[in-house]
Amino acid sequence: MALLTVKQLDVHYGAIHALKGLSLTVEAGQIVTLIGSNGAGKTTTLKTISSLLRPTSGDILFDGQSIVGRPTHELVRLGIAHAPEGRGIFANLTVDENLEMGAYVRRDKVGIAADRERALTLFPRLRERLTQSAGTLSGGEQQMLAIGRALLARPRLLLLDEPSLGLAPQVVRTIFDIIRDINASGTTILLVEQNAHMALGVAHFGYVLEVGQIVMADRAETLAKSDEVRKAYLGVG
């Protein structure tokens, strides 16, 4: 069953036509990845889903309900959380305060405490740095915090934008192992990632985006074997 359905989405930045009739689906329980070059429209897609951008036309359905025009905080209540490109942490707040911000729409103290513990179990480095200012964390730790904060919203759908950006290879592997763990625990994930090799290795299904349009869509393992994808995005051939 589709948890998220994007139908014929058009998005403009002024005169720039950023998304052109984009359609995709994300089945419940899956990791779906969007891959493509810089400027293809990947981040624009996530921002539009989370209502940070308003589409010119088209529709977005979450669990069968149209969410176009709904404020972002309402989408968080519905079960959509977004860990944005660049992490977007609150640098002047502590790690613990950042995690608390992820639960700002919730009132269930017992559930919040359980999800906080889950996040700290997934990211043990954060447990060691709870009282530290988030702005003093390494890039990898800030990415862990951004994902951990999103998990405190207890999302049904987690939007991840470039989680490996600027990170060392060993940290990237750790982040992707945790993405698998989050999905195995029942969270559906829509992943935007420049590292196509890692993205297709973790995803169930993938879409290839070029200049605002979907040009290929298939099971992730099939895309990873495609000569076109291997040449354009995997550095093979």
Side-chain angles (χ1 to χ4, degrees):
M1 176 183 176
L3 182 62
L4 178 75
T5 304
V6 176
K7 295 183 175 181
Q8 294 295 311
L9 205 64
D10 282 88
V11 176
H12 288 78
Y13 293 103
I16 298 172
H17 198 172
L19 296 182
K20 305 167 186 175
L22 184 141
S23 297
L24 61 84
T25 59
V26 179
E27 301 290 330
Q30 283 189 331
I31 299 175
V32 173
T33 188
L34 283 176
I35 63 173
S37 58
N38 287 332
K42 305 185 302 297
T43 292
T44 297
T45 301
L46 293 195
K47 285 184 174 181
T48 307
I49 292 168
S50 59
S51 279
L52 298 174
L53 292 173
R54 186 73 181 261
T56 312
S57 62
D59 204 0
I60 303 169
L61 305 178
F62 180 67
D63 206 12
Q65 176 182 2
S66 178
I67 58 172
V68 171
R70 300 281 292 270
T72 299
H73 68 271
E74 288 188 14
L75 300 187
V76 176
R77 287 193 175 96
L78 286 175
I80 300 174
H82 188 171
E85 181 183 17
R87 293 137 200 172
I89 61 166
F90 299 100
N92 294 328
L93 299 182
T94 66
V95 168
D96 208 12
E97 288 167 339
N98 269 271
L99 291 174
E100 288 177 7
M101 290 298 293
Y104 77 101
V105 299
R106 298 175 60 182
R107 297 294 179 266
D108 55 322
K109 292 184 178 180
V110 173
I112 291 170
D115 288 338
R116 176 182 177 276
E117 182 60 28
R118 177 193 174 204
L120 295 177
T121 299
L122 284 169
F123 302 109
R125 289 194 212 177
L126 298 183
R127 192 188 299 275
E128 301 167 5
R129 292 160 171 76
L130 285 173
T131 59
Q132 188 172 325
S133 293
T136 65
L137 298 177
S138 69
E141 290 163 350
Q142 289 185 12
Q143 185 62 68
M144 293 173 188
L145 179 57
I147 298 173
R149 182 183 61 188
L151 291 177
L152 261 292
R154 190 175 282 183
R156 297 169 62 199
L157 174 65
L158 177 60
L159 308 177
L160 289 179
D161 195 354
E162 300 286 8
S164 76
L165 188 66
L167 302 183
Q170 184 173 350
V171 179
V172 171
R173 286 191 290 272
T174 299
I175 292 291
F176 273 85
D177 285 343
I178 291 168
I179 289 171
R180 282 193 183 92
D181 289 344
I182 292 168
N183 177 248
S185 297
T187 303
T188 304
I189 297 173
L190 178 57
L191 169 67
V192 160
E193 178 54 56
Q194 191 72 22
N195 187 331
H197 176 74
M198 295 297 293
L200 293 173
V202 76
H204 300 96
F205 198 88
Y207 293 89
V208 180
L209 195 57
E210 290 182 6
V211 290
Q213 296 178 300
I214 300 292
V215 295
M216 295 182 70
D218 212 324
R219 291 183 304 164
E221 61 186 35
T222 302
L223 288 178
K225 295 175 182 176
S226 160
D227 288 341
E228 187 175 347
V229 171
R230 285 161 64 84
K231 290 175 182 177
Y233 305 107
L234 302 180
V236 178

